[in-house]
Amino acid sequence: MENLTREKEFQAKLDREVKIEPKDWMPDAYRKTLIRQISQHAHSEIVGMLPEGNWITRAPNLRRKAALLAKVQDEAGHGLYLYSAAETLGVDRIDLEEQLLDGTAKYSSIFNYPTQTWADIGAIGWLVDGAAILNQVPLCRTSYGPYARAMVRVCKEESFHQRQGYEIIMTLAQGNEAQKKLAQDALNRWWWPALMMFGPSDDNSKHSAQSMAWKIKRFSNDYLRQDFVDRTVPQAEYIGLSVPDKDLKWNDERGHYDFGPINWEEFYNVIKGNGPCNRQRLKTRNASFKAGAWVREAASAYADKKASRKEVAA
Ligand code: 3HC
């Protein structure tokens, strides 16, 4: 009985838009879904560094290299904010990292696609970070305080990511024939995976209803996906590129673009681990985790030494 009243009070708090803080009572299921979502979000930021990191040494000039370096470093920082936000829910970062490394934890499907040309770096900034902004800005108002506050900082940096990506792809699209072809080829390969980033369709989203009731999620997957299409198609047209969807058509009645069917078989295949780069991404993450063991050992030895010095002094 007591738990029921507490759940009712908890929901009333959410309905009054009161932020939930780490020390507040919360239903176990609320805590569990936040740990699931925030840790997967953090994993996505960290794994998301890999496809772009691949082009830091291949950037066409110093300006592009500096912007890409800054972006990849930002993603690392986003991962750290989000692991810290997850830790406020009583989990250890090392456990979350191990779930990523052993393949039991998910990260965003989009990062399992290869970056084949420099134009892909533009497409990632433009489309992937563009999609991430639409999905992350509402998370600045998510009901869990530490997550919402982490998102405010992340979103400020995402806008730079999207802008630098769009500028790369625009430069190529307005360049010579070969460059324009690179830009169109990148759009062809990244368009549909970017739509899949928003998650399954609403009727197949197992968490959305509860996440929206708990004000973790503010908009549904399909709502954000449609918003992304409506905003991005004019950006493609503006630089003379065509979106690879023969069913794409502005629907005056709806006030939105109608678009073709998403290949859900591909989506579920990728999130099951059978995407083009899943194995490579986990192999790279495991290798860098192993290579970084000495840093973790040194840091914990230093922390222990400092703690024992404090004890002696006390
Ligand atoms: N990739 C991998 N798994 C996905 C997915 C995707 N694109 N979309 C959904 N899923 C998974 C969910 O995790 C869930 O699986 P689980 O129960 O094992 O966790 C299952 O598919 C069902 O999906 P739901 O829609 O029911 O799940 P959610 O309510 O959690 O919605 C989400 C999925 C919209 C991705 C939501 O989790 C979310 O908003 N997460 C936070 C934001 C985020 O992770 N953004 C993407 C990556 S960050 C990024 O792009 C960084 C940028 O800097 C480039």
Side-chain angles (χ1 to χ4, degrees), residues 36-37 40-41 44-45 75 78 106-109 111 128-129 132 135-136 139 147 158 161 196-200 205-208 211 217 221 267 271:
R36 174 188 67 81
Q37 176 165 329
Q40 286 174 175
H41 196 164
S44 303
E45 301 283 1
E75 309 297 11
H78 298 174
K106 288 190 171 73
Y107 56 88
S108 191
S109 47
F111 298 122
V128 175
D129 289 78
N135 160 283
Q136 291 175 153
L139 285 170
Y147 194 19
E158 289 302 3
H161 298 172
M196 295 176 201
M197 268 179 82
F198 292 96
S205 165
K206 62 181 167 194
H207 299 297
S208 280
S211 288
K217 222 180 206 181
N221 299 355
F267 170 73
I271 69 171

Side-chain angles (χ1 to χ4, degrees), residues 89-107:
L89 289 155
V91 283
D92 283 337
R93 181 177 312 212
I94 190 73
D95 297 338
L96 301 177
E97 284 177 347
E98 276 160 11
Q99 288 158 18
L100 172 66
L101 296 173
D102 67 18
T104 45
K106 288 190 171 73
Y107 56 88

Side-chain angles (χ1 to χ4, degrees), residues 252-284:
D252 245 347
E253 229 171 271
R254 287 181 59 228
H256 296 290
Y257 281 94
D258 293 336
F259 54 93
I262 289 179
N263 180 345
W264 292 116
E265 196 196 336
E266 176 182 332
F267 170 73
Y268 285 109
N269 232 345
V270 170
I271 69 171
K272 262 203 305 256
N274 310 319
C277 297
N278 295 57
R279 272 179 284 285
Q280 180 191 344
R281 298 288 183 243
L282 285 189
K283 194 161 155 248
T284 313

Side-chain angles (χ1 to χ4, degrees), residues 4 9 96 143 173-174 189 194 200 234 308 313:
L4 247 180
E9 280 161 12
L96 301 177
S143 56
Q174 293 167 349
R189 283 185 289 107
S308 59

Side-chain angles (χ1 to χ4, degrees), residues 33 50 63 114 120 132 164 200 220 297 312:
T33 207
L50 298 175
R63 185 165 80 86
D120 288 29
Q164 63 85 40
S220 77
E297 282 148 27
V312 165

